[in-house]
């Protein structure tokens, strides 16, 4: 389960681009807390602390408790806007959730047991179709990552969502098809050898020197 984060915040008294620019100059990032059938709340958070949380790599699928003026808000980050040049965070949207709300999250996949994969041992390459899985799960039980074993998989094999054991209570958000997560493909060297083998003529197709062809006989 991903670790819960706590992010102090202060309520914004003024809105607008001018007020937001002033906050950013002071090292603050404007943010909005919305949802749960309550009025949206405009706040601002410390940029340095937010940047540290973003650097964990799993900020977007982690419950963030926002303490705004002594009032806690259980939230899930939904969108972070970055400056196009500096890449600094300039705005964040947080969705209010209940302690056991069913939430949609994108959870990264992590592959294990590469040494037990015949295909990988032969030089096969793991081709990722999806780097993360969109899951529906309890807000209090969001997994940090989904481990997928490569044991026994050979070149040409594929991993589908039906092959993955998900944590208890979690289910795929896409439930109308058995989508592919990854495949093991042949390396370029093996592909070249196979292509050369297919293009090489068989012994019966190679003409014998001095042997007349049917066309020559007909002429």
């Amino acid at each position: 389960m991903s670790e819960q984060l706590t992010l102090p915040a202060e309520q914004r008294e003024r809105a607008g681009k001018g007020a937001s620019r002033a906050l950013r100059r002071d090292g603050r990032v404007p943010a909005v807390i919305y949802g749960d059938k309550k009025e949206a709340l405009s706040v601002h958070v410390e940029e340095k602390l937010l940047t540290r949380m973003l650097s964990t790599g799993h900020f977007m699928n982690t419950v963030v408790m926002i303490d705004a003026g002594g009032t806690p808000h259980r939230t899930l980050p939904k969108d972070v806007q970055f400056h196009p040049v500096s890449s600094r965070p300039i705005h964040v949207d947080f969705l209010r959730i209940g302690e056991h709300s069913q939430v949609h999250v994108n959870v990264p996949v992590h592959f294990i047991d590469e040494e037990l994969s015949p295909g990988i041992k032969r030089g096969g390459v793991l081709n990722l179709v999806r780097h993360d899985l969109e899951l529906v799960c309890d807000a209090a039980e969001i997994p940090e990552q989904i481990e997928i074993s490569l044991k026994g998989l050979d070149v040409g094999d594929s991993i589908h969502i039906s092959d993955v054991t998900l944590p208890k209570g979690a289910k795929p958000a896409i439930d109308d098809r058995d989508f592919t997560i990854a495949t093991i493909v042949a390396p370029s060297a093996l592909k070249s050898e196979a292509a050369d083998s297919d293009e090489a003529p068989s012994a019966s197709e190679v003409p014998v020197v001095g042997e007349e062809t049917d066309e020559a006989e007909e002429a």
Side-chain angles (χ1 to χ4, degrees):
M1 183 178 69
S2 59
E3 182 181 352
Q4 180 175 288
L5 301 175
T6 299
L7 182 61
E10 295 180 21
Q11 190 166 347
R12 276 191 286 164
E13 297 181 357
R14 294 189 300 136
K17 293 183 178 180
S20 295
R21 283 196 293 267
L23 286 171
R24 295 182 188 114
R25 284 196 296 268
D26 291 337
R28 309 291 293 183
V29 179
V32 172
I33 304 171
Y34 67 95
D36 200 23
K37 298 179 181 179
K38 297 178 182 178
E39 185 178 351
L41 178 64
S42 297
V43 298
H44 56 90
V45 300
E46 182 185 352
E47 181 182 347
K48 290 183 179 179
L49 180 55
L50 175 63
T51 300
R52 285 202 299 271
M53 291 183 176
L54 287 167
S55 68
T56 63
H58 51 81
F59 178 73
M60 299 302 293
N61 62 307
T62 301
V63 172
V64 179
M65 294 296 295
I66 298 180
D67 183 359
T71 302
H73 300 267
R74 184 184 304 275
T75 73
L76 191 65
K78 297 304 292 183
D79 184 57
V80 181
Q81 297 176 28
F82 296 92
H83 191 279
V85 177
S86 66
S87 296
R88 293 170 56 185
I90 58 175
H91 192 275
V92 192
D93 289 343
F94 293 96
L95 175 67
R96 287 191 191 92
I97 57 174
E99 184 176 1
H100 293 288
S101 297
Q102 290 291 298
V103 295
H104 285 243
V105 290
N106 291 320
V107 181
V109 294
H110 176 65
F111 293 90
I112 59 174
D113 298 331
E114 289 190 11
E115 71 281 2
L116 301 178
S117 165
I120 299 294
K121 285 185 175 180
R122 291 172 55 203
V125 178
L126 181 64
N127 175 47
L128 294 185
V129 179
R130 294 175 180 270
H131 291 80
D132 51 44
L133 301 178
E134 185 180 358
L135 303 179
V136 179
C137 59
D138 189 304
E141 300 292 337
I142 300 174
E144 186 170 333
Q145 62 183 16
I146 300 297
E147 289 192 346
I148 301 176
S149 175
L150 300 175
K151 181 178 180 180
L153 297 181
D154 207 340
V155 171
D157 287 342
S158 298
I159 303 171
H160 297 86
I161 186 60
S162 60
D163 302 317
V164 179
T165 301
L166 297 175
K168 184 179 179 181
K171 60 182 181 181
I174 301 173
D175 58 5
D176 60 347
R177 63 186 184 277
D178 191 18
F179 58 86
T180 302
I181 300 170
T183 59
I184 297 181
V185 299
S188 300
L190 286 181
K191 291 179 180 178
S192 298
E193 290 176 6
D196 292 342
S197 177
D198 290 341
E199 293 174 2
S202 63
S204 61
E205 295 173 335
V206 178
V208 178
V209 177
E211 182 178 308
E212 296 181 349
T213 61
D214 293 338
E215 290 81 357
E217 290 176 354
E218 290 177 358

